[in-house]
Amino acid sequence: MTRKKRKSKKRGFSQFMNDERTWKIAGLSCLFIALYLTIAFVSYFFTWELDQDKVINNSWAAMLENNISVDNWLGRLGAITSNAFFYWGFGIASFGFVAILVKLGLSLIRKTPIMELVKFAVHTILIMALFSVVIEFVMSSSKFSWGGVMGQSVFIWMTNFIGKLGLLLFIVMILAVSAVWLVNPNLTPAFAESTDGMKPFGKFSLPSFDFFHSSDAVAKRPSKQAPKRGYFGKLEALLSENEEENETASIAPVENISPLNNPQAFPDYIPGMDLELPDINAQPRQKPKVLQDLMLDLVNPTEVENKVSPTQNEAVSVPIETSSAPVAESNSPSTASGVPELPFEMVEKPEEESKVLPVQEEEDLSSLAPYDPTADLSAYEYPSVDLLEDYADRKVTIDREELEANKNQIVETLSHYKVSITGIRATIGPTVTLYEIIPKPGTKIKSIKNLENDIALSLSALGIRIIAPIPGKGTIGIEVPNKKKNIVAFKEVINNDKFMKAKMALPIALGKTIANEIFVADLAKMPHLLIAGATGQGKSVGINAILMSLLYKQHPSQVKIVMIDPKKVELFPYSKLDKHFLTFLPDQEEPIITDTTKAIHTLNSLTIEMDARYDLLKKARVRNIKEYNKKFVQRQLNPNNGHKYMPYIVLVIDEFADLIMTAGKEIELPIARLAQLSRAIGIHLIIATQRPTTNIITGMIKANFPARISYKVTSNIDSRTILDHKGAEQLVGMGDMLFTIGADLIRIQCAFVDTPEVERVIDHIDAQQSYPEPYFLPEVVDDADISGKGQNLKWKDLDSMFEEAARLVVSGQHGSTSMIQRKLQLGYNRAGRIMDQMHTLGIVGDTNGSKPREVLFHTEIELNQYLSHLKNQ
């Protein structure tokens, strides 16, 4: 029973030591002790004169009694502790103990290697000792114990031994040595060669200290002492084993084969040629032990004793790497030199260990300063709000009589249809006023919604919108347009703390809600935005407000913008920002894309960029661009391995309907792919159209655009197409819009920014230093270029279905990619590639918009003759 109890106790203690909470509690305790000492030390500066006599002249037992009062902020214990460290210890340098406790607490919580803590503690204690002497040397005439008894004793002894001047020189020497050791400055200019070409040491050279790598030194190396018994002896043995790990790997029991002592092994050796031989005795580097592992080893004394004191009879296993060169036999020089030959086992090194090298390179970067993506344009100045207009002269005051008249008219109209309410209140917005009514119990909401046209008739309003009920409230909302509308200036919106202090990746200021609140959204969380509205209702102004928000909030290194403007006149002012914010293809002359073919190439290039970024995220083992950039800034990713800082990319398409009409699937497919996958890697889409019909905004696009903005549209069908709700047809225009993300529907008055304001901001950015070249997108190779150019296209380069497709096109005199896809049951990409090959060989003509291509061969006889000639080439 006694033995079982002991085993159960050991098992319980082992579980207690293995519990993660134990080390967290120990770490937190160290942090609280460090905080306690800090407060006690700071209090000592103010209360030492009042408390020192009481602490020194009284014993511990007397200090525990209540008849002694001290002024230290932490009472008698704080006074005793601070006096012990400051007066009897290192003085002000005793704050180093606080640093050691903080490091110990964090090491226990984070499970960092114990050797880091040991090195930190040793360095800190050395610095404390030196600093106590220095501060005592400087403040020797002060009453306060700046250096403590330790610093004062060393100062007095060294002053008597080498004098004050010698002590000063000693301190300067220690500081210089410490600076060289820590900073390693470049001293080459100060100790350069003389003008006569003589070196500092003349003909003499420094001796080579190769003691630890010679075979004689191995034989002379003293043997280990017997390990101490008890837990502290085992802990000391484990620490020494961890420290000597690298030295053991560098001492070779077998001498390397050299071409000088074994020429038969190196038949191709040329005298004077330097050879780099692999270290055949190198052992694989083990993971350093952490403090918890060392303490847990003490729980199993048998395993520790086996680690510390191996038996003399057992063979020492030395893993070595097999070499292609022949190994010398028993006549090795190592035997002749007197080194005892050790028995060993041949163990092949696993191939996986070679994969550790790139990780080691990335870890070395952690010692560098964090990467600053804005360093290339460190002098960049963000645009000032003074460049914008405030439109103060166009502010309109609210007419209280109008509000009262509308309220009475609504109550009267409802009473005509026997709808009773218990209260009504008004919320005044820049464009509309929201009247919230509270119906009496038992009133049907449907009866109020059906009175929408009757209320609009009684108020003589352009169009009202009833919200029944208002989400989150027990009221029904009636939005009535104001007769006099206020302009929401873009300057007023971005000059608000809601935008200036927004902790968002891509904040965009859209305008004001009907409650006169600034509305700011994060484009990175949307993650894509779909904008629709009839002509002249404010879409272009809304796009300018979004782009200006990005220019005001982001640095050029943090965001890049791709602009596609089929109308050619809306986004052209931004072309000056080609080397600051814009990104496009390398062979593109204009930074703003206006051609449909170039738009297709740009979208395909973005898909290539998306795939490349996902590959980098996979290599970095992160899930999104935010985590990736955080790792890269912290130097955890090596640029030599292909990693780079990723800016956000915003794609803006001003008139999406025109692209769909001219290119169709070639535009829709990459757009749908980007919308589905590009959120995690920081590519976000903003698409605007004035035709929100189902053939333009397809279900695939709508499914990936949860954030949508609708300006005034012509019918409720268009409103349902864009928002999945009706109501956009009731808007009043001039920037009045509905914004939805998910189930929420918010009415906003868009911020107004005029073209001169946009040009002033762009000129301000353009006048500053830019990057040497734009941020180019990946190049896209056209399918025609891949398959061949001109008449150099060979028969073997053609698709296997080319001949059948060519006969189909010529027989039907209809050059359509969709027909090839449908008749031959091919994919769209393959059918398009076959059509490009037929165009290259001159079978069909150029593209003609949405119409089929012209067929240049009129009969199959002509086609057969041409194909037979092509086969014989």
Side-chain angles (χ1 to χ4, degrees):
M1 292 297 292
T2 306
R3 187 174 299 175
K4 289 183 179 181
K5 287 183 179 180
R6 289 178 181 176
K7 288 184 178 180
S8 62
K9 287 182 179 180
K10 287 184 179 180
R11 191 181 302 111
F13 181 70
S14 177
Q15 292 176 355
F16 175 76
M17 297 298 290
N18 279 318
D19 197 339
E20 188 178 285
R21 294 172 293 182
T22 302
W23 304 106
K24 290 182 179 179
I25 293 172
L28 291 175
S29 301
C30 292
L31 295 178
F32 278 114
I33 294 173
L35 178 62
Y36 186 89
L37 289 180
T38 302
I39 299 174
F41 290 171
V42 173
S43 175
Y44 185 81
F45 285 104
F46 304 99
T47 62
W48 69 277
E49 291 182 324
L50 301 174
D51 296 342
Q52 194 171 40
D53 292 338
K54 302 175 184 177
V55 174
I56 295 176
N57 298 328
N58 292 282
S59 62
W60 274 88
M63 290 297 294
L64 293 176
E65 298 177 1
N66 293 328
N67 55 356
I68 299 176
S69 61
V70 294
D71 294 313
N72 191 283
W73 298 344
L74 296 179
R76 292 192 293 270
L77 181 59
I80 296 173
T81 305
S82 58
N83 184 76
F85 280 96
F86 267 75
Y87 184 76
W88 296 107
F90 294 92
I92 194 174
S94 299
F95 277 100
F97 290 109
V98 176
I100 294 175
L101 284 172
V102 172
K103 183 70 174 180
L104 174 60
L106 296 179
S107 299
L108 291 172
I109 295 174
R110 299 174 180 173
K111 296 185 178 181
T112 55
I114 186 175
M115 292 311 300
E116 295 183 8
L117 175 63
V118 173
K119 291 179 181 179
F120 179 80
V122 172
H123 292 166
T124 305
I125 293 174
L126 292 177
I127 293 172
M128 288 165 55
L130 177 62
F131 185 76
S132 63
V133 177
V134 173
I135 196 67
E136 189 66 30
F137 177 79
V138 177
M139 307 293 294
S140 58
S141 60
S142 176
K143 295 181 181 180
F144 185 76
S145 181
W146 291 98
V149 171
M150 298 294 294
Q152 187 178 10
S153 301
V154 176
F155 168 72
I156 294 174
W157 182 83
M158 295 192 71
T159 302
N160 296 331
F161 186 69
I162 59 176
K164 283 193 174 183
L165 182 59
L167 178 59
L168 177 61
L169 293 176
F170 177 77
I171 292 173
V172 172
M173 182 193 71
I174 293 296
L175 294 177
V177 170
S178 302
V180 171
W181 182 260
L182 296 176
V183 182
N184 191 16
N186 184 14
L187 301 179
T188 303
F191 299 94
E193 296 182 3
S194 58
T195 55
D196 57 355
M198 296 296 292
K199 295 183 178 180
F201 296 98
K203 297 181 180 180
F204 300 99
S205 60
L206 293 175
S208 176
F209 297 96
D210 200 17
F211 174 78
F212 292 105
H213 297 282
S214 64
S215 58
D216 296 337
V218 178
K220 296 177 183 179
R221 191 177 183 91
S223 60
K224 289 186 178 181
Q225 298 178 357
K228 298 179 182 180
R229 293 192 174 273
Y231 283 177
F232 291 100
K234 295 164 186 174
L235 177 60
E236 181 180 351
L238 286 175
L239 286 173
S240 62
E241 179 186 356
N242 195 27
E243 291 174 352
E244 296 175 0
E245 188 180 46
N246 294 333
E247 295 182 10
T248 307
S250 64
I251 299 174
V254 180
E255 186 174 341
N256 286 335
I257 302 172
S258 172
L260 299 178
N261 54 33
N262 192 2
Q264 290 81 7
F266 299 89
D268 298 332
Y269 173 70
I270 301 175
M273 178 177 66
D274 294 331
L275 295 177
E276 295 183 0
L277 300 178
D279 187 4
I280 64 174
N281 300 296
Q283 294 183 0
R285 187 177 181 88
Q286 298 179 358
K287 181 180 177 183
K289 287 182 177 293
V290 296
L291 181 60
Q292 291 88 326
D293 298 334
L294 294 176
M295 295 298 293
L296 287 174
D297 287 340
L298 299 180
V299 181
N300 301 317
T302 306
E303 297 181 5
V304 178
E305 291 177 1
N306 292 336
K307 292 181 182 179
V308 178
S309 57
T311 60
Q312 296 180 356
N313 296 328
E314 62 180 356
V316 180
S317 177
V318 182
I320 68 173
E321 192 173 335
T322 58
S323 175
S324 59
V327 183
E329 299 293 330
S330 60
N331 55 353
S332 173
S334 61
T335 308
S337 61
V339 180
E341 185 175 358
L342 299 176
F344 61 90
E345 299 176 4
M346 300 289 290
V347 180
E348 291 188 0
K349 184 178 180 180
E351 297 180 356
E352 286 76 12
E353 291 191 5
S354 61
K355 299 179 182 179
V356 181
L357 294 177
V359 179
Q360 184 66 25
E361 292 180 0
E362 293 186 4
E363 290 179 356
D364 293 339
L365 296 178
S366 60
S367 60
L368 301 177
Y371 174 75
D372 183 11
T374 65
D376 293 337
L377 297 182
S378 57
Y380 176 79
E381 296 182 1
Y382 291 86
S384 172
V385 293
D386 297 332
L387 300 173
L388 304 173
E389 299 286 344
D390 54 5
Y391 300 101
D393 54 339
R394 302 189 189 180
K395 295 290 182 182
V396 178
T397 57
I398 302 300
D399 189 357
R400 296 292 176 181
E401 295 181 358
E402 177 187 350
L403 295 176
E404 197 67 27
N406 287 340
K407 184 186 70 173
N408 296 333
Q409 196 68 37
I410 291 173
V411 173
E412 184 179 353
T413 303
L414 293 175
S415 62
H416 288 333
Y417 295 94
K418 299 180 180 180
V419 176
S420 302
I421 61 175
T422 59
I424 183 171
R425 61 183 179 184
T427 303
I428 305 169
T431 304
V432 298
T433 299
L434 175 65
Y435 294 92
E436 295 182 50
I437 61 175
I438 304 173
K440 283 187 176 181
T443 303
K444 293 184 178 180
I445 296 178
K446 188 176 181 180
S447 62
I448 300 177
K449 294 186 68 174
N450 293 336
L451 298 177
E452 185 173 336
N453 295 330
D454 299 299
I455 297 175
L457 177 64
S458 63
L459 297 175
S460 302
L462 295 176
I464 66 170
R465 178 169 165 264
I466 295 181
I467 310 171
I470 297 177
K473 297 182 179 180
T475 59
I476 296 174
I478 302 176
E479 295 175 350
V480 180
N482 298 332
K483 292 182 179 180
K484 297 179 180 180
K485 303 174 183 61
N486 272 326
I487 293 179
V488 178
F490 184 71
K491 178 179 181 180
E492 180 185 359
V493 175
I494 67 167
N495 203 21
N496 190 275
D497 288 343
K498 206 167 187 178
F499 178 79
M500 289 294 185
K501 298 181 180 179
K503 302 296 182 182
M504 302 177 182
L506 295 174
I508 53 176
L510 295 179
K512 282 186 176 183
T513 64
I514 57 177
N516 259 329
E517 296 178 353
I518 304 296
F519 188 83
V520 180
D522 189 3
L523 180 61
K525 292 184 178 180
M526 289 185 182
H528 312 294
L529 182 60
L530 186 61
I531 303 175
T535 303
Q537 302 303 317
K539 293 192 309 298
S540 298
V541 175
I543 292 176
N544 282 329
I546 294 173
L547 294 176
M548 292 284 283
S549 300
L550 298 176
L551 298 183
Y552 265 90
K553 194 69 175 176
Q554 303 296 324
H555 189 273
S557 63
Q558 297 171 339
V559 64
K560 300 297 178 182
I561 306 174
V562 182
M563 296 187 180
I564 300 178
D565 183 15
K567 291 194 290 187
K568 305 180 181 181
V569 295
E570 294 294 343
L571 302 176
F572 75 92
Y574 296 95
S575 60
K576 295 181 180 180
L577 305 180
D578 55 341
K579 293 184 178 180
H580 287 90
F581 284 97
L582 300 188
T583 178
F584 45 90
L585 294 173
D587 58 347
Q588 191 172 314
E589 297 179 359
E590 293 293 332
I592 309 297
I593 300 136
T594 57
D595 183 66
T596 303
T597 303
K598 291 182 179 179
I600 296 172
H601 290 169
T602 301
L603 294 175
N604 291 328
S605 176
L606 283 174
T607 58
I608 296 174
E609 174 73 11
M610 177 183 68
D611 294 335
R613 289 192 172 195
Y614 268 114
D615 291 338
L616 291 178
L617 261 64
K618 180 182 177 182
K619 289 172 60 178
R621 298 181 181 276
V622 294
R623 300 180 62 184
N624 52 57
I625 186 175
K626 187 175 180 180
E627 297 176 2
Y628 179 89
N629 284 340
K630 183 179 179 180
K631 265 193 169 184
F632 189 86
V633 168
Q634 295 175 353
R635 304 282 188 179
Q636 298 179 13
L637 301 176
N638 196 334
N640 296 329
N641 296 334
H643 293 290
K644 60 182 180 179
Y645 183 83
M646 292 185 190
Y648 286 90
I649 297 179
V650 179
L651 170 63
V652 180
I653 302 178
D654 184 45
E655 188 46 68
F656 184 64
D658 184 72
L659 294 179
I660 290 294
M661 289 177 61
T662 55
K665 293 290 184 181
E666 294 179 279
I667 290 289
E668 183 182 353
L669 291 179
I671 285 289
R673 189 161 182 262
L674 287 171
Q676 290 171 355
L677 301 175
S678 64
R679 171 181 182 175
I681 44 87
I683 299 179
H684 304 280
L685 281 60
I686 301 176
I687 295 178
T689 180
Q690 63 181 3
R691 293 181 56 196
T693 55
T694 54
N695 60 338
I696 302 297
I697 304 175
T698 61
M700 183 182 297
I701 293 177
K702 282 181 62 177
N704 295 286
F705 282 78
R708 305 168 199 166
I709 290 177
S710 177
Y711 294 87
K712 182 177 176 60
V713 293
T714 56
S715 66
N716 61 354
I717 297 177
D718 292 341
S719 177
R720 291 184 182 277
T721 302
I722 181 67
L723 297 176
D724 294 329
H725 296 280
K726 69 175 185 177
E729 75 281 1
Q730 300 290 346
L731 300 176
V732 297
M734 301 298 291
D736 189 18
M737 65 181 183
L738 290 174
F739 173 77
T740 178
I741 180 166
D744 298 331
L745 194 63
I746 306 170
R747 190 166 186 174
I748 303 171
Q749 177 61 40
C750 181
F752 178 72
V753 54
D754 205 358
T755 303
E757 301 175 70
V758 175
E759 292 176 348
R760 284 197 295 269
V761 173
I762 292 174
D763 292 338
H764 169 79
I765 299 175
D766 182 43
Q768 301 185 55
Q769 179 187 1
S770 64
Y771 291 103
E773 61 180 15
Y775 184 91
F776 289 121
L777 293 173
E779 293 188 29
V780 178
V781 181
D782 195 3
D783 289 337
D785 296 333
I786 297 175
S787 60
K789 294 185 177 180
Q791 300 301 324
N792 296 326
L793 193 62
K794 304 294 183 180
W795 179 261
K796 62 180 181 179
D797 299 327
L798 299 177
D799 191 276
S800 59
M801 300 291 291
F802 174 82
E803 184 174 358
E804 187 176 354
R807 296 184 186 280
L808 180 65
V809 168
V810 173
S811 62
Q813 290 294 301
H814 187 80
S816 170
T817 304
S818 60
M819 182 194 68
I820 297 175
Q821 180 185 7
R822 185 175 63 257
K823 295 287 186 180
L824 301 181
Q825 297 181 354
L826 302 177
Y828 184 81
N829 291 335
R830 187 179 181 185
R833 192 180 303 113
I834 294 175
M835 184 61 69
D836 290 335
Q837 291 174 352
M838 284 192 285
H839 174 258
T840 303
L841 295 174
I843 298 177
V844 295
D846 297 330
T847 56
N848 189 18
S850 59
K851 297 180 180 179
R853 295 175 185 252
E854 180 185 2
V855 182
L856 303 180
F857 283 72
H858 301 291
T859 63
E860 290 192 36
I861 298 176
E862 297 178 4
L863 178 65
N864 291 334
Q865 293 176 352
Y866 180 76
L867 293 179
S868 62
H869 173 73
L870 188 63
K871 293 177 182 178
N872 295 329
Q873 285 185 350

